[in-house]
Amino acid sequence: MNKVAFVDLYQQHQAIEEELVEVFRRVLRKSSFILGPEVVGFEQEFASYVGASECIAVNNGTTALQLVLAALGIGPGDEVITVANTFIATAEAISAVGARPVFVDVDPVSYTMDPQLVEAAITRNTKAVLPVHLYGQAADVDALLEIARRHNLYLIEDACQAHGATYKGRKVGALGVAGCFSFYPGKNLGCLGEGGAVITNDPELAQRMRMLRDHGSIKKYEHSLPGYNFRLEGLQGGFLSVKLRHLDRWNARRREVAKLYQELLSETSLGLPVEMGWGEHVYHLYVIQADDREALRQALGAGGIECGLHYPVPLHLQAAYADLGYEKGRFPVSEHLSSHILSLPMHPYITDEEVKRVASVLLETLQCQSNQQTVTS
Ligand SMILES: *Cc1c(COP(=O)(O)O)cnc(C)c1O
């Protein structure tokens, strides 16, 4: 029996192999290995795709977040509010500039930052609010922007899982002061290695980020301030330009796959993703909730179907953040999710047959469970 892959990068790249090899030849002949014309070209294309004026390409999504925070002057003594239910990189970027991550819980329906909890987390030291457009769906940006404006805070978007997702008709990434993307290979837009980018409409902030990205320098060996080496490779810029042209088609297929899962699983006890009325979900991940997650995970594994957990331990309970002093029970929604969620195979090249196979394993397992309950009750 063939495996059903969680993500299939091989098929995605096979379909565009010639175009990618052509990028390699071009960069090889020009020896433009770091930044250079391929990166500049991609920056222009991606800024215009998101609908913003500036894009600063960097070497991954974590450094994209760090770059924004550093360029805004956020550092030791400052606090940044983010969510407990995200990948650790969101919080690590805050730690990397010496600031303190302050967690809030997520909304149980959208799985994104609950705006109602933000105000209580604001202190004199708060500088920014950093929501995550989790699993491919926008957070409730307007509600968060309203709070941020009232308290004079920056709103920075972690859009690392949401390339092409929209909020009230606009693409995420340029809704606050800046938005950060990751091009890790498995993301909706991924390069063939590490990559990331910051999007903004603020030209001065963009200029500061361009300097900080490259050792605090615009002109070689003239350093205005101590910066970093967060540069993107030329090859990755070229690969990203090729792949960006396919992003909308890939996202449309992801939405089709989500619709099929929804149709096949809607009559079950499973909690399915809810599309909020405010925008278009791009399904970086298809995350369901189940009462007995482990039984489903085992059954899928036995059927050769790969699945994932995003995320099994919320950030406030990670050893890395033990020193922040959060206790178990503090963020009930994030904690509940961590033990009930399951990410099903989701990528643009999954076939309808594969989706049906995943659904039928889930349906059979749930049926067995309910039969057992009837017998024992
Ligand atoms: C992937 C991801 C990141 C980090 O991106 P890298 O390119 O792996 O550094 C940050 N935040 C979220 C929510 C992510 O999913």
Side-chain angles (χ1 to χ4, degrees), residues 178-193:
C180 302
F181 291 86
S182 162
F183 304 124
Y184 184 81
K187 303 288 165 113
N188 289 33
L189 177 62
C191 52
L192 311 187

Side-chain angles (χ1 to χ4, degrees), residues 59-65 86-91 132-135 158-161 180-184 187 194-196 284 311:
N59 56 344
N60 61 65
T62 314
T63 55
L65 289 159
T86 177
F87 181 52
I88 194 166
T90 317
V132 181
H133 303 311
L134 199 72
Y135 309 149
D158 181 337
C160 289
Q161 300 189 357
C180 302
F181 291 86
S182 162
F183 304 124
Y184 184 81
K187 303 288 165 113
E194 300 264 11
H284 171 57
Y311 295 90

Side-chain angles (χ1 to χ4, degrees), residues 35-61 63-64 67-68 159 163 172-174 177-183 189 195-214 218 230-233 236-238 240-241 244 247:
L35 297 175
E38 303 285 335
V39 170
V40 172
F42 171 70
E43 286 178 334
Q44 285 164 358
E45 290 157 16
F46 195 59
S48 122
Y49 177 81
V50 175
S53 58
E54 309 274 353
C55 171
I56 298 92
V58 294
N59 56 344
N60 61 65
T63 55
L67 186 65
V68 175
H163 318 69
V172 301
V177 65
C180 302
F181 291 86
S182 162
F183 304 124
L189 177 62
V198 181
I199 290 285
T200 182
N201 279 312
D202 179 339
E204 277 173 40
L205 179 65
Q207 179 74 354
R208 223 159 33 248
M209 289 194 281
R210 280 204 180 87
M211 267 197 313
L212 285 171
R213 164 182 73 176
D214 193 9
I218 289 288
F230 288 168
R231 297 174 304 222
L232 183 69
E233 295 184 353
Q236 304 305 337
L240 285 164
S241 286
L244 179 59
L247 178 59

Side-chain angles (χ1 to χ4, degrees), residues 4-16:
V4 177
F6 185 65
V7 172
D8 190 334
L9 297 175
Y10 175 75
Q11 281 194 75
Q12 184 186 99
H13 294 136
Q14 204 186 28
I16 53 173

